[in-house]
Amino acid sequence: MGSMRVAISIGCSMLALGAAPAAAYGQEAGPAAPAASGFDGNEIIVTANKREESINRVGLTIKAVGADDLSERQITSAADIAQAVPGLSYTNSANNTPVFTLRGVGFYDTSLGSYPTASVYLDQVPLPFPVLTTLTAFDLERIEVLKGPQGTLFGQNSTGGAINYIAAKPTADFEAGVEASYGRFNHFIGNAYISGPLSETLRARVAIRGARSGPWQKSYTRDDENGRVRELAGRFLLDWEPSDTMSFQLNINGWQDKSDPLAVQYLAFNEQAVSNTQIVRDYPRSPLTSRAADWSTDNGMFINRKFAQASLRGDIELGGGLTLTSISAYSRFNQRGALDQDGMNLQDIDLRAFAGRIRSLSQELRIANDPASRVRFIVGGNYSRDKVYYIENLLYGDSSAFYNFGITTSENYSDQRMRNLAAFGNVEFDIGDKLTVKGGIRYTDARRSATICNRDGGDGLTSALFTFFSRLLSGDPTRPALGPTDCFVLDENFFNGPEFKSQLNEDNISWRAGVDFKPSSDLLLYANVSKGYKAGTFGNINASSTAQFTPAVQESILNYEGGFKAQFADRRVSLNGAVFYMDYRNKQLRSKLIDGTFGILDAIINIPKSHLQGFELELQARPTQGLSVGAALTYVDSEIDRYTGVNAGGVTADFAGTRVPFTPKWQAATNMRADIPLSSGLNLFGGVQLTYRSATNAIVGETPLYKIDDYALLDLQLGIEEPDGRWKATLWGKNVTGTYYWTNVVAGQDTVVRYAAKPATYGVTLGYRF
């Protein structure tokens, strides 16, 4: 609890002063003359309602992180973004697929084709699966995080909220810049961009990012290392304005990630229903330090991921204040690799090889009227089609699966197709100068099909074993033997069927109603009620029974929220707050079931009913010229109201009254930045951020083994720059106290493993703008 006391103490001192710099909450709209008070007076512009407007005029809870903060604080990954946004949590998973949880709303699953609960967009273009966001955070104006269900404008799969990446745009004048960082573990990051006009109607921008580092994880049983970084990303933007009433924006972006996957820490032996694997039981446990881990030498640890996307946005003024907007996008993703999931130099559960691909097509058409109108509306429709294929080959040679049943390897694949069709509308009506009523609705028709198969991994033993079980359990010794490519999963009649094929056809109506009240230009009060949905899903599961393939149906959230946004002292001080209550139905979760033959096995399940309630406070101020201080506090009380089943640790119980996984009750953040002129051509600046997250659990049920302890992280920056920002040099440190913490705890075949985060990192960044 010492780290919590430190966080609260610093939070209280910051609250007494004020809050974070404007750059921490969004990108400024543009240069403006300083106010007489010394406060710069620039508005923070966001696109929460799919149009540009001041963050202080939007009746939603929004957190924005601006370009300066992204650069100075070295925010480059999903984990970094979650650390900078109270209420947002990041979790790595068994297949190195990222998972976001926002205000306790998240879907923990390792499957490549699982939709998230917080939808992610790049300039309003969807990145429909979490893995596609891996290397998006470069050359950005800002990142916006919208909290609470956003189904009316951002569609289903945004029950927790929406995350919008806003790319830096082509400029009317020539600009160029370079930035290079070098840090601990020989970590080098290079960024460069060039932007400007090609003609009177055509502007372009090209940006590139590359990263490379040495290993940071060390094997505790031998001389071996892991954790190398090999990343490359690029973006090409082309803006064309052929006339005053027509504009087009082309975005071509892509990346490749050939980094080592995270190695896990062997924490404890996982007692199965039947378990005789002494070699695993006796394997030395991992030291509980940040860099310690272990993995199989004969399996390898690598991932090669490639992503490419092209999108085109067109805006055409139709007359009468109406604008037609079209956004078309196509994305391709491919991956292959191998990794260790048991944290040992043994074959308890190793992915000898895996591969996957995603193909995604989306189209949005909408019509909006003049945003300055008294009545503002948007009506439109969406269409998307996604195809996801994934295959993996697993090894169990040292596991209970081998010692109990003779299984040494298996292979599974899934081929899923998703089609979503939606129509939506949103309206805001100003009743006088102070009162605005608003409402929105979206109808979504979602169809999903899945073809799933588990088969022999290559040695013939698994096929022979399931042939035996099929004959034994059915009492029919004449059933044909399985071949190496036949699916071995048993149905309810103990038949080894063909590929499992099923469909999930669902529809829903998301909606929002609310009111904004502005008693003065410096105060906004708002209240919203909203309903959102996340589509149902099939899991990519290594199964022995078709019962494991039963899909989870769509989940829903009914959210009640009220809040305020206030500015004081000639806008030197801003205070934002919100309270919320969420009625959570059919929450989706990757958990377990009990198989009569093979014991505890994976499954995707629904938790019938749970709820979340809490509040957020955020204070920001500039008490003097050149000094910005801030604090934020998020409280989420989560509880499962109704669920009896099996948790991910294999415990069967009534879990009513327990907390929702991956939901810290308290999250706090404090920060400060000071700018000190050293001369007419040189400024000194420094920044400090302290973040705290209370403990949570990685599974349903208060199980100590699966606890994620509380932790506090301290980041620091110190640098010099020209007043106009032409060049900048920054010394920075992340987690400078070297806190050991972890973001996930997972039960595998016979092991329980932790996903430990990086230790202290530090370095220097040099940047220059031409």
Side-chain angles (χ1 to χ4, degrees):
M1 293 300 292
S3 57
M4 182 175 182
R5 287 194 295 269
V6 170
I8 292 176
S9 175
I10 294 184
C12 290
S13 64
M14 290 294 187
L15 283 167
L17 290 172
Y25 297 88
Q27 182 70 12
E28 296 172 351
S37 64
F39 180 70
D40 66 14
N42 289 335
E43 294 283 3
I44 301 166
I45 302 302
V46 295
T47 54
N49 289 318
K50 295 198 172 181
R51 64 175 183 269
E52 292 188 345
E53 54 191 330
S54 167
I55 193 172
N56 292 317
R57 298 178 182 273
V58 181
L60 294 171
T61 305
I62 306 171
K63 170 71 174 180
V65 183
D68 289 342
D69 255 23
L70 293 172
S71 174
E72 290 180 8
R73 296 177 59 181
Q74 293 291 296
I75 297 174
T76 60
S77 67
D80 294 335
I81 294 166
Q83 200 61 45
V85 179
L88 180 65
S89 298
Y90 162 82
T91 305
N92 205 339
S93 69
N95 289 357
N96 272 244
T97 300
V99 178
F100 283 119
T101 301
L102 190 53
R103 283 183 175 174
V105 181
F107 177 39
Y108 175 76
D109 185 31
T110 65
S111 303
L112 186 66
S114 292
Y115 285 134
T117 58
S119 57
V120 182
Y121 292 81
L122 173 62
D123 288 341
Q124 300 186 31
V125 175
L127 298 168
F129 302 99
V131 71
L132 305 184
T133 70
T134 302
L135 296 178
T136 306
F138 72 99
D139 197 43
L140 299 177
E141 289 184 4
R142 65 187 178 276
I143 298 172
E144 303 171 1
V145 180
L146 316 180
K147 301 180 182 182
Q150 305 294 323
T152 54
L153 287 178
F154 293 94
Q156 65 174 6
N157 311 320
S158 59
T159 44
I163 302 173
N164 297 327
Y165 292 86
I166 311 299
K169 300 301 185 290
T171 53
D173 300 313
F174 173 80
E175 289 184 10
V178 294
E179 184 180 85
S181 298
Y182 180 78
R184 189 183 184 190
F185 307 118
N186 292 318
H187 195 175
F188 173 81
I189 302 176
N191 293 276
Y193 76 92
I194 184 170
S195 175
L198 302 179
S199 70
E200 291 185 356
T201 61
L202 201 61
R203 298 189 300 272
R205 186 183 186 100
V206 177
I208 190 168
R209 177 190 184 273
R212 188 179 183 92
S213 83
W216 66 275
Q217 291 186 298
K218 292 185 176 182
S219 168
Y220 60 91
T221 64
R222 63 188 186 280
D223 185 16
D224 202 357
E225 295 180 313
N226 181 69
R228 298 163 187 84
V229 173
R230 303 288 187 271
E231 298 172 345
L232 183 64
R235 185 180 300 129
F236 171 69
L237 302 178
L238 189 66
D239 289 1
W240 181 41
E241 296 183 7
S243 70
D244 293 338
T245 61
M246 189 179 301
S247 65
F248 298 92
Q249 299 173 355
L250 175 68
N251 184 331
I252 300 174
N253 65 91
W255 51 261
Q256 182 174 26
D257 182 9
K258 301 176 71 174
S259 305
D260 294 341
L262 181 71
V264 296
Q265 297 181 332
Y266 178 21
L267 181 64
F269 184 77
N270 185 29
E271 295 286 353
Q272 298 287 307
V274 181
S275 187
N276 298 312
T277 177
Q278 194 66 35
I279 187 174
V280 176
R281 190 187 296 270
D282 293 340
Y283 198 87
R285 307 304 192 261
S286 173
L288 301 183
T289 60
S290 297
R291 301 184 64 181
D294 211 359
W295 56 94
S296 298
T297 55
D298 57 355
N299 186 49
M301 292 279 284
F302 81 93
I303 288 181
N304 188 350
R305 291 172 167 169
K306 299 178 181 179
F307 171 72
Q309 183 186 70
S311 67
L312 178 65
R313 171 173 174 159
D315 292 281
I316 302 174
E317 294 183 16
L318 303 177
L322 299 179
T323 300
L324 172 67
T325 299
S326 169
I327 302 178
S328 310
Y330 178 71
S331 303
R332 292 173 57 95
F333 171 84
N334 292 279
Q335 73 170 10
R336 60 184 181 86
L339 58 86
D340 182 286
Q341 292 186 340
D342 53 51
M344 303 180 296
N345 189 11
L346 296 173
Q347 291 181 358
D348 188 75
I349 179 168
D350 289 354
L351 268 67
R352 173 166 55 185
F354 65 88
R357 64 175 180 265
I358 297 173
R359 304 291 183 265
S360 181
L361 174 69
S362 66
Q363 173 65 53
E364 177 171 311
L365 284 172
R366 66 178 189 251
I367 294 177
N369 70 333
D370 187 346
S373 299
R374 184 178 177 184
V375 179
R376 300 171 294 281
F377 66 83
I378 298 176
V379 294
N382 291 93
Y383 171 83
S384 68
R385 183 175 292 274
D386 303 312
K387 300 178 182 179
V388 182
Y389 179 80
Y390 180 79
I391 185 170
E392 62 184 13
N393 187 283
L394 299 101
L395 300 175
Y396 314 102
D398 299 307
S399 74
S400 57
F402 170 71
Y403 285 100
N404 295 335
F405 306 109
I407 300 175
T408 60
T409 180
S410 69
E411 186 170 274
N412 66 82
Y413 66 81
S414 67
D415 189 354
Q416 300 193 44
R417 312 291 175 94
M418 305 82 149
R419 193 275 289 155
N420 301 293
L421 190 62
F424 64 90
N426 194 76
V427 63
E428 298 176 51
F429 176 36
D430 293 337
I431 303 176
D433 297 331
K434 296 183 178 182
L435 188 65
T436 300
V437 294
K438 52 193 180 180
I441 191 168
R442 174 186 290 254
Y443 172 77
T444 302
D445 179 75
R447 301 187 179 183
R448 187 179 189 123
S449 65
T451 300
I452 309 174
C453 176
N454 281 48
R455 61 192 182 189
D456 193 287
D459 61 6
L461 297 177
T462 307
S463 295
L465 176 69
F466 273 84
T467 297
F468 169 76
F469 273 116
S470 177
R471 292 171 175 174
L472 176 66
L473 297 173
S474 67
D476 181 4
T478 65
R479 287 188 174 179
L482 292 173
T485 61
D486 292 330
C487 303
F488 61 65
V489 177
L490 301 175
D491 63 15
E492 64 274 9
N493 297 313
F494 307 110
F495 272 96
N496 302 112
E499 296 174 316
F500 174 86
K501 294 186 177 182
S502 184
Q503 292 186 341
L504 190 61
N505 299 328
E506 300 171 318
D507 63 353
N508 58 70
I509 297 177
S510 300
W511 53 268
R512 169 182 287 159
V515 59
D516 294 346
F517 178 55
K518 311 177 195 66
S520 72
S521 61
D522 293 331
L523 179 61
L524 169 66
L525 306 175
Y526 62 90
N528 299 313
V529 182
S530 56
K531 184 73 174 283
Y533 290 85
K534 179 192 176 300
T537 186
F538 293 90
N540 189 88
I541 290 175
N542 188 35
S544 65
S545 165
T546 54
Q548 292 177 257
F549 294 146
T550 301
V553 300
Q554 65 184 357
E555 68 178 32
S556 68
I557 284 183
L558 180 60
N559 181 55
Y560 304 88
E561 183 165 348
F564 65 90
K565 298 182 178 182
Q567 296 176 296
F568 309 98
D570 197 18
R571 298 192 175 183
R572 289 177 180 269
V573 179
S574 294
L575 178 64
N576 301 332
V579 295
F580 56 87
Y581 178 89
M582 289 185 275
D583 183 359
Y584 204 168
R585 301 298 177 104
N586 287 322
K587 174 180 170 58
Q588 299 169 2
L589 187 70
R590 188 182 184 100
S591 190
K592 302 287 183 178
L593 57 76
I594 302 297
D595 181 87
T597 304
F598 295 99
I600 304 168
L601 299 175
D602 286 346
I604 301 292
I605 59 98
N606 289 104
I607 295 176
K609 188 178 186 308
S610 52
H611 73 270
L612 305 106
Q613 59 190 357
F615 66 85
E616 297 193 20
L617 283 174
E618 189 171 57
L619 185 65
Q620 59 180 16
R622 297 191 174 186
T624 63
Q625 182 72 32
L627 178 63
S628 301
V629 289
L633 184 67
T634 300
Y635 171 80
V636 179
D637 179 30
S638 64
E639 184 174 328
I640 293 172
D641 300 312
R642 188 170 68 250
Y643 172 57
T644 299
V646 186
N647 71 5
V651 176
T652 302
D654 181 353
F655 292 101
T658 61
R659 294 165 58 190
V660 174
F662 302 109
T663 308
K665 182 169 287 188
W666 292 98
Q667 297 185 51
T670 63
N671 54 72
M672 178 175 65
R673 178 185 164 115
D675 294 89
I676 304 172
L678 298 179
S679 68
S680 60
L682 192 64
N683 285 347
L684 175 71
F685 66 88
V688 56
Q689 300 86 35
L690 177 62
T691 58
Y692 170 78
R693 293 173 188 246
S694 64
T696 184
N697 239 44
I699 66 173
V700 172
E702 308 300 324
T703 308
L705 185 60
Y706 295 88
K707 183 181 179 182
I708 300 174
D709 280 351
D710 66 326
Y711 61 89
L713 301 180
L714 179 65
D715 296 351
L716 301 171
Q717 304 88 38
L718 179 66
I720 55 174
E721 63 180 347
E722 279 191 338
D724 62 1
R726 181 173 294 273
W727 66 266
K728 178 187 292 188
T730 308
L731 293 171
W732 52 266
K734 300 167 68 173
N735 186 16
V736 297
T737 59
T739 298
Y740 168 62
Y741 69 103
W742 57 98
T743 62
N744 200 2
V745 185
V746 175
Q749 183 75 19
D750 298 293
T751 64
V752 178
V753 299
R754 272 184 186 168
Y755 287 72
K758 275 189 175 183
T761 55
Y762 39 80
V764 60
T765 299
L766 303 176
Y768 186 82
R769 291 193 309 170
F770 299 91

